């Protein structure tokens, strides 16, 4: 069984950092979720990166994970049976959430990262019909989805978590165009964005610089996710990250309204086509 990656680039390695954050959250007595696979997927590489970036106490990943866990569970209970996770990385929802037995879940990410996850999970059975697809998300992945059995005529739930900050603005637009073109009426989109306020915040600069030093630069942000999706036919409900964290009792910062000077924002989006 493979225990450490041999050729993951810096951005792909953030998947192991995210797993390390989920592992740390799972150890808390007041945890927002339990991920029994996270420590295995994080490995020494993820744990080391977590300490280097000094992010162990950050509430962002725990709050975001719980928000999307709840949304995915609700959508599955509502009847959608086709899910696509873009930039699936070390995501474990196929293994730990309660999906109906006839659910099909496609995981899109770089081939070496998906192969590593399979090795690290060591024959662990998913709770759904799971179809990993190695693709470049900045390229056209529709053909690879079709070959794997994706049904474009059926409503789909798309999840793109922790992806958009690493993309350029043109790549964000291309990603949203492809998702929209492949989505039947009634489809859902779960996606998050950082605000330009966060990218420009002096308070966030040390963390952003640490990411840049490791070739994990955050490039894209927006304060208007609704407008970004409305032009593509989606009706978006946007929740500020601080609002979600406050509701969960895990946000140590002020939950300031959008546009408050000096307050960096992040956004959690649940959109319907």
């Amino acid at each position: 069984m493979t225990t450490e990656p041999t050729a993951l680039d810096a951005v792909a390695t953030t998947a192991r950092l995210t797993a390390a954050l989920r592992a740390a959250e799972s150890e808390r007595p007041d945890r927002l979720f339990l991920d029994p696979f996270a420590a295995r997927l994080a490995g020494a590489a993820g744990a080391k990166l977590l300490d280097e970036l000094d992010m162990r106490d950050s509430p962002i990943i725990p709050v975001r994970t719980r928000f999307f866990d709840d949304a995915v569970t609700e959508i599955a209970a509502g009847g959608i049976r086709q899910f696509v996770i873009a930039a699936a990385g070390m995501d474990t929802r196929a293994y730990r959430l309660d999906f109906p037995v006839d659910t099909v879940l496609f995981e899109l990410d770089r081939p070496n990262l998906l192969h590593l996850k399979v090795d690290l999970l060591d024959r662990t059975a998913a709770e759904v019909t799971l179809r990993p697809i190695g693709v470049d998300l900045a390229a056209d992945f529709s053909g690879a989805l079709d070959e794997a059995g994706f049904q474009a005529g059926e409503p789909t739930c798309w999840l793109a978590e922790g992806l958009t900050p690493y993309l350029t603005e043109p790549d964000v637009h291309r990603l949203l165009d492809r998702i929209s073109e492949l989505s039947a009426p009634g489809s859902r989109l779960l996606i998050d964005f950082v605000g330009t306020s966060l990218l420009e915040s002096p308070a966030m600069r040390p963390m952003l610089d640490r990411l840049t030093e490791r070739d994990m630069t955050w490039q894209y942000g927006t304060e208007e996710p609704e407008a970004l999706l409305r032009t593509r036919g989606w009706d978006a409900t946007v929740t500020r990250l601080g609002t979600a964290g406050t509701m969960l009792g895990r946000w140590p910062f002020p939950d300031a309204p959008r546009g408050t000077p000096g307050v960096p924002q992040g956004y959690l989006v649940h959109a319907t086509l």
Side-chain angles (χ1 to χ4, degrees):
M1 182 180 73
T2 301
T3 57
E4 292 298 328
T6 56
L8 291 186
D9 66 23
V11 173
T13 301
T14 63
R16 306 202 80 182
L17 169 64
T18 302
L21 284 158
R22 294 200 312 270
E25 177 67 20
S26 297
E27 294 174 354
R28 293 178 59 119
D30 62 342
R31 60 181 174 249
L32 297 179
F33 54 84
L34 175 62
D35 186 342
F37 311 101
R40 195 189 321 174
L41 295 174
K48 181 174 182 287
L49 192 55
L50 179 59
D51 289 334
E52 288 177 352
L53 294 173
D54 192 24
M55 293 177 63
R56 191 170 293 275
D57 295 325
S58 172
I60 293 174
I61 300 302
V63 169
R64 190 182 74 189
T65 300
R66 171 61 182 272
F67 181 91
F68 286 135
D69 277 2
D70 289 347
V72 166
T73 301
E74 175 190 343
I75 290 167
I80 288 182
R81 294 293 179 266
Q82 183 167 251
F83 288 74
V84 180
I85 301 181
M90 296 297 175
D91 187 284
T92 60
R93 291 184 173 94
Y95 301 89
R96 63 182 178 81
L97 293 189
D98 186 18
F99 287 97
V101 295
D102 56 343
T103 300
V104 179
L105 191 151
F106 301 88
E107 290 190 336
L108 306 180
D109 215 317
R110 302 178 190 193
N112 57 345
L113 184 54
L114 293 176
H115 292 158
L116 174 63
K117 179 160 71 170
V118 170
D119 286 348
L120 291 171
L121 288 173
D122 191 24
R123 297 184 297 278
T124 300
E127 297 298 317
V128 300
T129 298
L130 178 61
R131 296 176 183 169
I133 307 171
V135 294
D136 177 359
L137 287 165
D140 186 355
F141 50 79
S142 56
L145 262 177
D146 287 343
E147 290 177 7
F150 178 80
Q151 301 297 312
E154 296 182 8
T156 302
C157 176
W158 301 84
L159 172 61
E161 180 183 12
L163 171 61
T164 60
Y166 296 100
L167 301 179
T168 64
E169 183 171 1
D171 282 341
V172 170
H173 285 281
R174 280 190 285 268
L175 174 69
L176 294 176
D177 286 343
R178 290 189 191 99
I179 288 174
S180 300
E181 290 165 2
L182 291 168
S183 295
S187 291
R188 306 292 188 92
L189 172 60
L190 304 173
I191 190 169
D192 64 296
F193 298 92
V194 299
T196 51
S197 55
L198 188 152
L199 297 180
E200 297 168 357
S201 168
M204 297 299 297
R205 181 47 47 195
M207 186 201 78
L208 295 173
D209 286 345
R210 288 195 294 270
L211 290 172
T212 298
E213 289 167 2
R214 291 163 176 80
D215 296 323
M216 302 173 182
T217 304
W218 284 11
Q219 304 181 79
Y220 179 77
T222 179
E223 302 293 346
E224 296 294 338
E226 299 95 333
L228 190 66
L229 293 169
R230 187 183 306 117
T231 59
R232 295 170 169 86
W234 296 89
D235 181 17
T237 298
V238 177
T239 302
R240 294 193 308 276
L241 185 61
T243 299
T246 299
M247 292 176 64
L248 291 168
R250 290 288 297 280
W251 199 252
F253 315 110
D255 178 22
R258 196 185 307 194
T260 301
V263 178
Q265 297 281 5
Y267 304 104
L268 305 172
V269 181
H270 183 167
T272 303
L273 190 64

